[in-house]
Amino acid sequence: MKRQKRLWTAAAVCAVLGAACRAVPGVRFAGLLFWCLTALLIVFAMFEQYKEHAWAKWGKRVLLALVCVGLAAFVWLEALVIRDAHTDPESENAQCVIILGAGVNGTTPSLMLSSRLQAALDFIADKPDIPIICSGGQGQGEDISEADCMADWLIAHGVDESRIYREDRSTSTRENFDFSYAVMAENGLDITGTLAYVTNDYHIYRAGRIAGVPWACGVAATLPRSAYYDALQLNYYVREAFATGWLLLRGN
């Protein structure tokens, strides 16, 4: 009975934490994970209640085995994400740079997009002639396209507009690359030379796989350091492992 009570208590705590996380922008995925953990704890509590029955004993063993397999898979996927969460040294040889889009608040770059823009600005500081593709369409709650927002920000920070190409149709990372490659081809830019793409550090591995070419090199953007931003980073890194798993399951 004590173990069952502890399981129910833990389930209740996780349910509350899940609701709290769902109410905070940026960490809503963590809320889903807490709710999944709530469901798992409830199932274990039910098995504990009927532990004298053979089906409960076997059910508990099977569920524990599945949890162990899931944890092992998560650790492997997270290791892939963390392994590549940095700027590739080969990016210094890039002949073109693509900035992958992120949210826009009206006409203002979101936190994620601001970090990517700053990383791109730092990256091109000693590359005065490298062409820049701002890639991102217009989504819900955005008054302008992500491409226009990025281009306007770069121009305001001293980047020559003649270097900037706007790809304003994409709605996903895959489209970011596909449509950017089309822009490069249309404007006579070398699509077979080293290519740099700018995105957040946790997104480097998955974006690199989606890029589909071995000469694509990531440039990592990072968030400022604070307790809140560190919590956001943790949430995004965990979420990215699941997104990477889904990508691999689809055969990419």
Side-chain angles (χ1 to χ4, degrees), residues 88-98 123 130-131 184 190-197 213-218:
D88 188 333
E90 289 297 319
S91 63
E92 287 300 317
N93 300 319
Q95 300 174 37
C96 183
V97 57
I98 299 174
F123 177 72
I130 192 171
M184 292 172 68
D190 186 2
I191 61 175
T192 61
T194 303
L195 170 71
Y197 60 92
V213 292
W215 52 85
C217 303

Side-chain angles (χ1 to χ4, degrees), residues 37-145:
L37 184 56
T38 298
L40 186 64
L41 289 168
I42 289 173
V43 173
F44 273 119
M46 295 300 294
F47 284 148
E48 188 65 24
Q49 181 176 348
Y50 297 101
K51 61 183 179 181
E52 300 303 324
H53 296 266
W55 63 266
K57 293 179 180 179
W58 279 104
K60 184 177 180 180
R61 290 170 184 170
V62 171
L63 188 56
L64 280 172
L66 291 175
V67 168
C68 289
V69 171
L71 286 174
F74 172 78
V75 169
W76 174 64
L77 292 167
E78 195 64 57
L80 294 177
V81 172
I82 294 172
R83 183 196 65 186
D84 284 7
H86 58 82
T87 297
D88 188 333
E90 289 297 319
S91 63
E92 287 300 317
N93 300 319
Q95 300 174 37
C96 183
V97 57
I98 299 174
I99 309 174
L100 303 184
V104 173
N105 300 321
T107 60
T108 305
S110 64
L111 174 65
M112 291 300 156
L113 188 54
S114 293
S115 67
R116 296 181 187 187
L117 287 168
Q118 187 58 57
L121 192 65
D122 294 340
F123 177 72
I124 65 173
D126 59 350
K127 303 172 183 63
D129 300 318
I130 192 171
I132 306 156
I133 300 177
C134 298
S135 179
Q138 183 174 349
Q140 186 175 3
E142 299 177 343
D143 295 338
I144 59 175
S145 70

Side-chain angles (χ1 to χ4, degrees), residues 114-219:
S114 293
S115 67
R116 296 181 187 187
L117 287 168
Q118 187 58 57
L121 192 65
D122 294 340
F123 177 72
I124 65 173
D126 59 350
K127 303 172 183 63
D129 300 318
I130 192 171
I132 306 156
I133 300 177
C134 298
S135 179
Q138 183 174 349
Q140 186 175 3
E142 299 177 343
D143 295 338
I144 59 175
S145 70
E146 294 164 12
D148 286 340
C149 179
M150 288 188 279
D152 292 346
W153 189 95
L154 291 171
I155 293 168
H157 284 75
V159 179
D160 188 343
E161 186 173 4
S162 65
R163 301 169 58 190
I164 300 174
Y165 298 84
R166 308 184 190 213
E167 183 289 293
D168 60 2
R169 297 183 297 144
S170 56
T171 60
S172 66
T173 301
R174 186 173 300 282
E175 289 183 352
N176 283 149
F177 283 110
D178 289 346
F179 295 162
S180 292
Y181 294 157
V183 169
M184 292 172 68
E186 290 167 5
N187 290 277
L189 303 178
D190 186 2
I191 61 175
T192 61
T194 303
L195 170 71
Y197 60 92
V198 182
T199 188
N200 289 90
D201 48 6
Y202 56 82
H203 188 228
I204 292 286
Y205 174 78
R206 185 160 60 95
R209 291 192 67 94
I210 293 172
V213 292
W215 52 85
C217 303
V219 175

Side-chain angles (χ1 to χ4, degrees), residues 24-27 111 223-233:
V24 179
V27 294
L111 174 65
L223 295 182
R225 293 305 305 271
S226 73
Y228 175 64
Y229 291 149
D230 288 348
L232 282 181
Q233 279 283 85

